[in-house]
Amino acid sequence: IYVKKDTMKQIIKSLMLTVVLCALASPVLSVTKSSIAVIDAPNVINKTNAAEDARDILRIKTTEAQTKIDAMEKELTALKDDLAKKRAVMSEEKYTEANLKLSQQVRDFRNRAQSIQEYLDRQNILLKKQITDQLTSIVKDLAKEKGYEVVVAKHLLLFSEESIDIS
């Protein structure tokens, strides 16, 4: 079953919020105020050197990819213009053959451009995952050190005291 990324994120957020609210409401757990921490993960991540390095890497890769795409597009435009100029002196059969070849090159270009975009998307996901994994490790260590039983993403809460924010 294929679920859109945004839909899956919403489902996960809803489940996380439900778990947190159930945990907080449950008299069995009786969590004390000091055992809960809140973190504004996106804000923390954006302020890290790792995030800045990742943005730089993606900027460079995107620029390189755009340069490749621009060069391929320029070549296709030149071929198209050349074919248009030669049309008057070409037989119908030769023109049709050349036009079919050009159409195939256009399809190849589109496939290559899409492949490049997919590569950039995968790189973006990979870099974000690396940073998120590092943050998760740091938060786990901090939670153990400070005795937090629960660390909740700030965006999942309607309200929290600033005193429990570990961002």
Side-chain angles (χ1 to χ4, degrees):
I1 298 175
Y2 176 74
V3 180
K4 288 184 178 179
K5 191 179 344 179
D6 291 338
T7 304
M8 184 57 82
K9 284 181 181 179
Q10 288 300 100
I11 292 170
I12 291 170
K13 285 179 183 179
S14 296
L15 287 172
M16 289 175 66
L17 181 59
T18 302
V19 168
V20 169
L21 291 176
C22 288
L24 294 174
S26 174
V28 175
L29 291 177
S30 67
V31 178
T32 63
K33 185 176 182 180
S34 63
S35 66
I36 298 173
V38 174
I39 186 167
D40 185 353
N43 189 34
V44 170
I45 288 172
N46 283 331
K47 291 180 179 179
T48 64
N49 290 335
E52 187 59 38
D53 292 346
R55 283 189 290 272
D56 290 343
I57 289 168
L58 285 174
R59 237 180 263 120
I60 290 167
K61 288 181 185 249
T62 300
T63 300
E64 290 170 353
Q66 190 60 52
T67 300
K68 286 180 186 177
I69 289 171
D70 290 347
M72 290 187 301
E73 190 172 29
K74 186 176 180 180
E75 183 182 333
L76 279 176
T77 301
L79 289 171
K80 181 180 175 185
D81 292 346
D82 188 48
L83 181 61
K85 288 177 187 175
K86 292 180 180 178
R87 181 159 199 246
V89 295
M90 295 176 89
S91 69
E92 189 64 33
E93 184 180 314
K94 289 281 185 185
Y95 174 75
T96 301
E97 184 180 312
N99 199 28
L100 285 173
K101 184 178 176 183
L102 179 62
S103 295
Q104 180 61 46
Q105 289 172 315
V106 168
R107 282 191 295 278
D108 291 346
F109 164 75
R110 287 181 182 150
N111 289 338
R112 180 72 178 128
Q114 182 178 355
S115 176
I116 290 170
Q117 183 58 52
E118 289 169 354
Y119 167 77
L120 290 172
D121 291 345
R122 284 190 307 274
Q123 291 300 304
N124 187 24
I125 290 168
L126 178 65
L127 290 168
K128 283 182 179 179
K129 183 179 179 334
Q130 289 172 347
I131 294 167
T132 302
D133 289 349
Q134 289 172 355
L135 177 64
T136 300
S137 176
I138 292 168
V139 169
K140 282 181 181 180
D141 291 345
L142 182 64
K144 286 178 186 174
E145 179 185 319
K146 300 286 184 175
Y148 299 126
E149 295 175 14
V150 178
V151 179
V152 182
K154 190 172 190 173
H155 71 276
L156 294 175
L157 301 174
L158 296 174
F159 171 78
S160 67
E161 291 287 337
E162 284 296 318
S163 62
I164 63 171
D165 192 331
I166 61 171
S167 301

